[in-house]
Amino acid sequence: MDLKYVQTTCPYCGTGCSFNLVVKDGKVVGTQPYKRSPVNEGKVCPKGTYAHEFVNSPDRLTKPLIKKDGKFVEATWDEAYDLIAQKFKSYKPDEFAALSSARVSNEENYLMMKFARGVMKSRHIDHCARLCHASTVAGLAASFGSGAMTNSILDIAESKCIFVLGSNTLEQHPLIGRKIVQAKQDGAKVICADPRYTPTARLADLYMPFVSGTDVALLNGLMQEIIKNGWEDKEFIEKRTKDYEKLKEVVMKEDYSLENVSKVTGIPADQIKQAAEIFGTTKPGAILYSMGITQHTVGVDNVRSVANIQMLTGNLGKPGAGVNALRGQNNVQGACDMGALPVVFTGYQKVIDPAAHKKFADAWGFPDGICEPKNGYEVTVMMDVLTDNPGELKCMYIMGENPMISDPDINHVRHALESLEFLVVQDIFMTETSELADVVLPAACYAERDGTQTSTERRVQMWRKAQDPPGEAKEDWQIISELAAKMGYADQFPYQNMEEIFNEVAELTPSYHGMNYERLNKPEALHWPCPTVEHPGTPILHKEKFSHPDGIGIFAPIEWKPPAEVPDAEYPFVLTTGRILWHWHTGTMTRRSATLDSEVPTGWIEINPDDAKALGIQNKEMVRATTRRGTVNVPAKVTPDIMKGVMFMPFHFAECAANILTNNALDPIAKIPEFKACAVKVEKITEA
Ligand code: SF4
């Protein structure tokens, strides 16, 4: 028997835990702790523990598939490439759009970006960061000059006060949650604001249930109380920031008095006062946030308000402090870093900047040039263009994403994707999205490739190949490179392995410039920015100055605005959505993991006992949830853990898909949809 252990990085959340894959006779059969990782020190959550179970699922795609007369038939790679190349060449540049993936490596995101902008000359490339932290990238870049988590994961344990807002850290980033537990054991105070009494809320010294979508009101109220009591960091404000007076003008308004904020948020005034005192007087203080902050039509406003309170209290650029935006997917930070966004090349170099555009055009050497120096469409805008402006977008290439479960208003997404003339989907399993494709390409999973991914704390870590892909499946970088070669661009895609691609990324990307596989090939890896090969990496951003050209942080005066859709007589409850400990996003991988799927085999809607009583609904009863966009039958979970007037659904489950109900209203800057608040009605299902 041949047995080996291959250390790699978890393919699920943005924490970036490491573990060993156990490989028996060439096949992945289990996971084992890898204790040298400073991130997780050998511990993993249930998803990490069972991350081997889907790898050799009989459902894996093993051959290219071409749809003929409405049915998929197996094809050779040459047949699939020939068809795709012929079709892709028939479209004008901006009739093509690409969706890259937060699941695949940095190298492969870079190649998809190069394919869209170089081979297809299209402006339109995006990925699912649009759905989770697009508002973080835009909001923190506006406040600090850099749109990423400011501190490191290890650093959270150094904090003396942790304010968790819009994050169920213990379930969604469990090994970051462990750092909150460690900080608390060392005496830190924990404050949590959430409409649900989550495991993270249970850990808090002060838990404040509040109405989804009222974050800015709460933060402005806290800032007013901090300023009134003189707890602001005057020296930090004076030396490191600008526009403080503009902020003060807004937050000191009567609208943000304790009484008024209490009315808007539903939090008792004395709790807001107590939270302001704890956070204003206990240093260093960290804020941890996730999609409860970002997934709103005011997502950028929410993020800028978080940045405001941390500049106000001087909680930046030091250990135990910071704006800790917890990114969702394993490589969503990296996919953004690699320029899989419609406005930037790698390292956030702007497409509309003539110097950056020329730099990439020159480096890539496409004889017929690259895309125009113009911004492209965000994925949410692509869907609207497809339905509202037929014929503008005609062809799409989706790698490792499943918008038919992950995106808001699924009926709208179906309509959009069905209106495409030609759709190619590249994935490891058949998904609700690939069912709509004209060609499906079988890809390798995380255990079948080398490469790098960048975790939420900007730590760039290695994946290592443990087994061969099943059947004829190939690594994404090989597929993209071979397709580019079929289209006449072999010289621009000459790669033999991932390392060659990474070296090209490092060459073109200032924040990755000092990285190479030799330096990354150790347990602690490296945090960006890492500008030179001598540079040790940067676990904490903004120590001496912010990333704006003048080094100064910018306060933003933000007024609270309600969600796009609020409850009314017809739809009287707020619906909010999210993830659970046992499953991951669209369930493509976790629902094919026997252990995870047996723990939680289907979805539910959480209803407060008072609301359930008023509606005559019993626990576990099937109910009908309806919004202006659709209806879903779903089991009720009657629980005091959700506040009255608010209901919650996890979005992983196709058979009761929460995103049939959600609102695709967008933040005007980040174009992120409002997954966290829409108006819903829930009824008993009565027999006909
Ligand atoms: Fe994987 Fe995240 Fe769990 Fe760590 S916390 S094992 S990265 S899912």
Side-chain angles (χ1 to χ4, degrees), residues 10-17 19 40 43-49 172-176 584:
C10 180
Y12 287 116
C13 90
T15 304
C17 299
F19 51 71
N40 60 311
K43 312 239 178 325
V44 282
C45 78
K47 286 191 286 287
T49 305
Q172 308 313 336
H173 298 87
L175 271 295
I176 297 180
W584 188 249

Side-chain angles (χ1 to χ4, degrees), residues 108-183:
E108 288 155 327
N109 274 288
Y110 171 75
L111 281 203
M112 184 56 113
M113 188 273 288
K114 184 172 177 178
F115 184 90
R117 293 191 168 122
V119 175
M120 299 303 296
K121 331 284 181 210
S122 172
R123 297 179 287 133
H124 308 311
I125 175 161
D126 204 5
H127 76 287
C128 68
R130 189 65 45 207
L131 310 175
C132 62
H133 273 280
S135 22
T136 292
V137 176
L140 294 187
S143 293
F144 303 151
S146 169
M149 177 167 166
T150 64
N151 286 48
S152 73
I153 292 171
L154 302 193
D155 200 59
I156 292 166
E158 306 291 314
S159 185
K160 291 293 164 219
C161 181
I162 298 176
F163 182 13
V164 187
L165 179 63
S167 162
N168 177 9
T169 319
L170 262 71
E171 280 199 272
Q172 308 313 336
H173 298 87
L175 271 295
I176 297 180
R178 185 166 169 260
K179 298 297 170 201
I180 306 178
V181 174
Q182 286 172 349

Side-chain angles (χ1 to χ4, degrees), residues 388-607:
D388 302 349
N389 200 7
E392 188 181 334
L393 282 176
K394 294 180 176 168
C395 164
M396 198 178 261
Y397 182 8
I398 299 178
M399 170 171 68
E401 296 221 333
N402 188 9
M404 280 295 296
I405 297 292
S406 63
D407 289 24
D409 192 357
I410 289 174
N411 289 328
H412 174 247
V413 175
R414 176 182 291 281
H415 182 192
L417 294 180
E418 284 180 345
S419 73
L420 284 163
E421 288 181 5
F422 190 64
L423 173 62
V424 177
V425 176
Q426 188 165 305
D427 214 315
I428 62 173
F429 291 112
M430 191 60 94
T431 66
E432 291 74 9
T433 301
S434 61
E435 293 285 358
L436 303 179
D438 296 284
V439 182
V440 177
L441 301 176
C445 79
Y446 80 103
E448 295 151 359
R449 63 178 84 185
D450 295 326
T452 62
Q453 66 167 46
T454 305
S455 71
T456 184
E457 57 171 340
R458 298 169 283 103
R459 194 191 291 261
V460 183
Q461 302 177 103
M462 303 290 299
W463 275 343
R464 294 178 183 83
K465 182 170 176 170
Q467 69 166 44
D468 289 330
E472 296 175 22
K474 296 185 186 212
E475 297 177 45
D476 293 283
W477 71 269
Q478 292 173 316
I479 301 172
I480 298 167
S481 300
E482 287 170 6
L483 185 56
K486 277 274 182 192
M487 294 183 68
Y489 297 102
D491 289 350
Q492 285 71 33
F493 289 77
Y495 315 106
Q496 297 301 311
N497 54 50
M498 290 276 213
E499 187 170 6
E500 290 178 5
I501 306 167
F502 188 86
N503 290 342
E504 185 174 313
V505 170
E507 189 64 37
L508 290 166
T509 313
S511 53
Y512 281 64
H513 200 61
M515 296 184 187
N516 54 50
Y517 272 22
E518 190 184 341
R519 294 194 73 196
L520 295 175
N521 206 3
K522 46 189 184 176
E524 63 277 20
L526 282 166
H527 295 80
W528 68 253
C530 178
T532 66
V533 285
E534 294 80 29
H535 194 283
T538 312
I540 300 179
L541 295 177
H542 316 309
K543 271 186 166 166
E544 308 295 332
K545 56 187 180 125
F546 289 100
S547 307
H548 287 301
D550 62 2
I552 298 295
I554 306 173
F555 280 110
I558 307 283
E559 297 275 13
W560 173 70
K561 297 184 217 65
E565 196 177 69
V566 293
D568 56 19
E570 196 179 354
Y571 300 97
F573 299 98
V574 175
L575 176 70
T576 188
T577 65
R579 292 184 272 135
I580 61 169
L581 175 64
W582 298 91
H583 281 288
W584 188 249
H585 283 219
T586 70
T588 311
M589 299 188 293
T590 51
R591 298 198 79 188
R592 289 182 172 90
S593 162
T595 310
L596 298 174
D597 198 45
S598 69
E599 282 291 337
V600 181
T602 193
W604 65 84
I605 185 164
E606 285 179 15
I607 306 176

